[in-house]
Each structure stands twice: as structure tokens, then as C-alpha cells.
Amino acid sequence: MDRDYGIFSLKDKVIVVTGGTKKYGYHFCEALAEAGGTVILTSRDKKQADAVAEKFRARGLNVTGCQLELMDDNSIGEFVSSVLRDHGRIDVLVNNARHIPRLPPYEIDRKELDNLFAVNCVGLILLTRRVAEEMRKTGGGNIINIGSIYGMVGQDLGIYEKPDINFSWDYAFQKGGAVAYTKQLATV
């Protein structure tokens, strides 16, 4: 893209966006790449990551798709190592990935809760810690954790025309944790 973003240019910045194939993540990737960033979008589904990245590349944007499974410590380590091998550093991490429950709230069992927290909490922390270690070595960077108002005040069904009572109740808990974690990281 030949647009001039001036002081907002991300030219020569290496940016990782987790959960970059859908909804917010897709648009984060698009905006960051349009501003000149080298964007690595991730998904647990490698084919989907590659397909979305190809759509962006067809528009002249510098986007690469990679597989990342936040429930797997080895996947996190291998992913970060591959980005460092290919690009030398990570300047920005956008933690956007989210595991969505496959069961209604009353039916979520221990196994599903373990999966939810493995991605939405533990995976976020482990990836952030690993990337932050590398950022320190290269002079710093930026970590953006995508939260939700529900993480601060809980869900208010009254604001919706057709409230979804099947909304995962653990979501507010997880996003509240992400908000608190982000505030804590900002102080160290």
C-alpha cells in the first residue's frame, strides 16, 4: 500500500495478531497491514490462516498466515521461534484469540471449562510472557490484549433487543482477568 500514515505508519513493524481470521481479528490484521505493518495472523486452523492471508496479499498487503494452538505450550514456543527466525523480532502482539464454548452455559462441563481457560487465560499469559521476553531483548514493543466491557461490569442483557441468554458466563470472568492482567503488566 502506498498510503502515507505519517506518525501512524507501521512500516517495518512485525505484528502478530492471534485469532486473525474472523471478526475483530480480521479487521485488526487489515488495518495494521494497510498502515504498512508486516502482519502474522494466527489461527488454530492453518488452512484458514493461509486462505485469509492470501486474500490480504492479493490486495498488496504484507500478511502471512500461521498456525498457533494456544492450548499447546510447544505450539506457542515453536510459533514465536519461527517468527523470530523469519523476521528477527516481534514489535507488536495483539492477543485477540478466543476459544468459544460449544455448549450452553448450564451444560459446560469441566473439560470444556479447561479448554476455555487453556486458550483464553493460560494461552494468553504464556504467549505474552514469551513474546515480552523477546521484546525486552530487542528494545521493547507493544502488547495489546483485547478485552471486553463485560470484563469490567459483567453482561447487561437489558441493553440488547434480543438477548442471548446462552452467552458464556465464564466470558466476563476471563475478560476481567485479561483486564487485570493487562493493568498489572503495565506497572512492571
Side-chain angles (χ1 to χ4, degrees), residues 50-65:
D50 288 340
V52 171
E54 181 56 39
K55 286 181 186 177
F56 288 130
R57 283 194 302 275
R59 294 177 38 208
L61 301 174
N62 188 0
V63 179
T64 303

Side-chain angles (χ1 to χ4, degrees), residues 24-37:
Y24 299 124
Y26 179 94
H27 296 293
F28 294 149
C29 290
E30 182 175 42
L32 295 166
E34 285 179 351

Side-chain angles (χ1 to χ4, degrees), residues 8-165:
F8 298 106
S9 173
L10 296 173
K11 186 175 189 275
D12 300 324
K13 298 295 183 186
V14 178
I15 304 162
V16 170
V17 179
T18 66
T21 61
K22 298 177 184 166
K23 296 185 180 183
Y24 299 124
Y26 179 94
H27 296 293
F28 294 149
C29 290
E30 182 175 42
L32 295 166
E34 285 179 351
T38 297
V39 176
I40 297 95
L41 70 79
T42 75
S43 173
R44 64 177 53 156
D45 182 334
K46 174 72 169 137
K47 287 182 182 178
Q48 190 174 37
D50 288 340
V52 171
E54 181 56 39
K55 286 181 186 177
F56 288 130
R57 283 194 302 275
R59 294 177 38 208
L61 301 174
N62 188 0
V63 179
T64 303
C66 289
Q67 183 173 23
L68 173 61
E69 176 53 75
L70 288 169
M71 286 195 276
D72 180 348
D73 295 5
N74 290 329
S75 178
I76 292 170
E78 290 168 8
F79 168 74
V80 172
S81 293
S82 74
V83 173
L84 295 173
R85 183 177 53 252
D86 295 344
H87 301 282
R89 69 186 190 288
I90 298 171
D91 298 300
V92 179
L93 169 63
V94 180
N95 277 314
N96 174 69
R98 176 173 174 245
H99 179 76
I100 298 171
R102 293 165 173 74
L103 300 167
Y106 287 115
E107 297 175 24
I108 292 177
D109 58 16
R110 174 59 184 250
K111 183 177 180 185
E112 184 65 7
L113 278 174
D114 286 345
N115 289 339
L116 289 165
F117 282 85
V119 171
N120 302 344
C121 298
V122 177
L124 179 142
I125 291 169
L126 293 177
L127 179 61
T128 299
R129 184 172 63 197
R130 179 75 171 84
V131 170
E133 289 169 3
E134 296 302 326
M135 286 177 169
R136 275 195 289 271
K137 293 176 188 175
T138 59
N142 297 285
I143 298 173
I144 302 164
N145 294 325
I146 303 304
S148 169
I149 190 65
Y150 295 159
M152 302 187 64
V153 298
Q155 187 180 20
D156 178 2
L157 295 176
I159 65 173
Y160 297 99
E161 195 171 301
K162 294 180 182 177
D164 179 4
I165 59 170

